[in-house]
Amino acid sequence: MTKPLPLVQSRMIGALTVHAIQAGGQRLDGGAMFGVVPKPLWERRIPADERNRIQLGMRCLLIEHPSGLVLVDTGAGNKEDKKFKDIYGIENEGADGRTSLEDGLTQIGARTEDVAIVINTHLHFDHAGGDTWVDDAGNIKPAFPNARYFVKRGEYDYATHTNERTAASYFERNFMPVVAAGKFEFVVREREIVKGIRVVPTPGHTPFHQSILIDSAGERGFFLGDLCPTSAHLPLPWIMGYDVEPLVTLETKRRILRQAEDEDWLLIFEHDATVPWGKVQHDGKGYHLREAE
Ligand SMILES: [Zn+2]
């Protein structure tokens, strides 16, 4: 198994410098990743391995904001055992015992203590696993000790009231230590977290999933989260089997991708192993990435 590289890719969105940090690799069942799309179609975009899994990334976004570093999603963390990591094909070990996310921060010249704000799109283990970390003594603590964390109130309720279908994705060790430390703030609907960084409800993958809109100096970037996990998922009906409300995902995608094309947004793909971002175009049949400018 190979970790997707490069570890860090940086660019500007308006006046803000942003860094996409690849918090590790992940391999998931290709059929589950593409829902009702038949394999002969999806494997032309992302080939499957001998266990029918496809290579994914776990990209987080670090934004250098005048009010402090803002981190969007945190990868899978360092608390899971070998068996779990094998099932989900997670390869994210960091040089210092934490994860690739912390390695990426180091490469940028930032420390975990420097992160002022953490925003979670939702609380699934591959998005909020790095909200906390376990030290050598077995203590689980917030991974960003000086940060305020943000997630939707409804997502927190959903994560703490699981059923047989949803339980496999939510582990309290990923977020309860942050709640216990009084560091989680729960968001209702849309909200500007700091100037130019706004959380936007994008339901479907989970009922209270949110995405992040960055608006600076006339440019807009949009961190999709699991609304559209890779650039291969741009066609409207290419929706993950993991989504709990796939028809809601469809309508959210329709609305967001239309606005992204109309307003020339830079879309940021969390799970794409190779493509960090791009702008979309509808060619009459479907959405696809425009050539990079
Ligand atoms: Zn995900």
Side-chain angles (χ1 to χ4, degrees):
M1 218 173 289
T2 49
K3 274 195 211 179
L5 291 169
L7 182 59
V8 178
Q9 288 167 286
S10 306
R11 63 169 292 152
M12 304 294 288
I13 296 176
L16 299 174
T17 302
V18 303
H19 309 275
I21 304 175
Q22 195 60 275
Q26 188 178 17
R27 287 195 169 213
L28 291 173
D29 184 86
M33 278 302 291
F34 287 104
V36 298
V37 179
K39 185 173 181 184
L41 294 184
W42 61 252
E43 74 176 347
R44 277 192 245 149
R45 294 184 177 232
I46 308 183
D49 70 8
E50 68 291 345
R51 289 163 67 179
N52 205 45
R53 301 177 308 174
I54 59 170
Q55 180 69 57
L56 298 166
M58 282 190 291
R59 196 173 279 108
C60 306
L61 192 73
L62 186 76
I63 306 160
E64 294 187 26
H65 191 273
S67 64
L69 294 178
V70 178
L71 177 64
V72 182
D73 278 353
T74 61
N78 76 337
K79 301 180 299 299
E80 307 311 325
D81 63 18
K82 213 164 163 283
K83 186 179 166 212
F84 180 90
K85 289 169 84 167
D86 181 61
I87 291 170
Y88 294 101
I90 293 169
E91 192 180 52
N92 72 340
E93 293 77 17
D96 70 348
R98 290 220 209 171
T99 74
S100 304
L101 172 59
E102 288 80 359
D103 288 357
L105 290 173
T106 303
Q107 187 172 313
I108 293 160
R111 303 168 307 153
T112 53
E113 293 83 355
D114 300 329
V115 175
I117 288 170
V118 174
I119 303 172
N120 289 126
T121 55
H122 60 305
L123 294 173
H124 282 169
F125 66 78
D126 54 328
H127 297 258
D131 281 19
T132 60
W133 73 294
V134 61
D135 66 17
D136 291 336
N139 304 306
I140 299 177
K141 313 170 192 172
F144 305 96
N146 300 318
R148 290 183 296 145
Y149 291 64
F150 292 86
V151 77
K152 287 278 289 289
R153 157 72 62 188
E155 174 67 14
Y156 173 70
D157 292 340
Y158 197 71
T160 49
H161 297 81
T162 56
N163 59 33
E164 292 82 351
R165 167 82 198 281
T166 62
S169 301
Y170 290 117
F171 309 135
E172 296 202 339
R173 57 184 174 275
N174 289 336
F175 44 87
M176 288 315 285
V178 182
V179 175
K183 293 174 183 293
F184 244 123
E185 292 189 30
F186 299 115
V187 180
V188 181
R189 298 191 193 87
E190 190 169 319
R191 172 161 154 197
E192 188 168 62
I193 303 295
V194 290
K195 192 173 183 312
I197 300 179
R198 176 175 289 277
V199 293
V200 178
T202 46
H205 179 65
T206 67
F208 298 92
H209 183 278
Q210 63 184 357
S211 301
I212 289 77
L213 180 63
I214 302 155
D215 191 343
S216 170
E219 281 190 65
R220 286 183 161 190
F222 196 76
F223 188 89
L224 292 153
D226 276 344
L227 172 61
C228 181
T230 77
S231 58
H233 288 81
L234 284 171
L236 291 177
W238 292 45
I239 291 169
M240 289 190 280
Y242 298 110
D243 288 20
V244 296
E245 296 175 331
L247 297 181
V248 176
T249 303
L250 177 67
E251 297 313 319
T252 304
K253 262 175 96 173
R254 192 193 310 280
R255 173 171 56 83
I256 292 291
L257 293 183
R258 184 184 295 144
Q259 197 175 357
E261 184 184 23
D262 288 351
E263 300 182 1
D264 202 34
W265 295 359
L266 182 80
L267 297 177
I268 302 159
F269 301 102
E270 186 156 12
H271 285 299
D272 202 301
T274 55
V275 180
W277 38 51
K279 293 182 175 179
V280 287
Q281 191 171 7
H282 196 283
D283 65 3
K285 280 199 266 177
Y287 286 102
H288 55 86
L289 278 186
R290 260 169 31 207
E291 291 299 313
E293 295 123 69

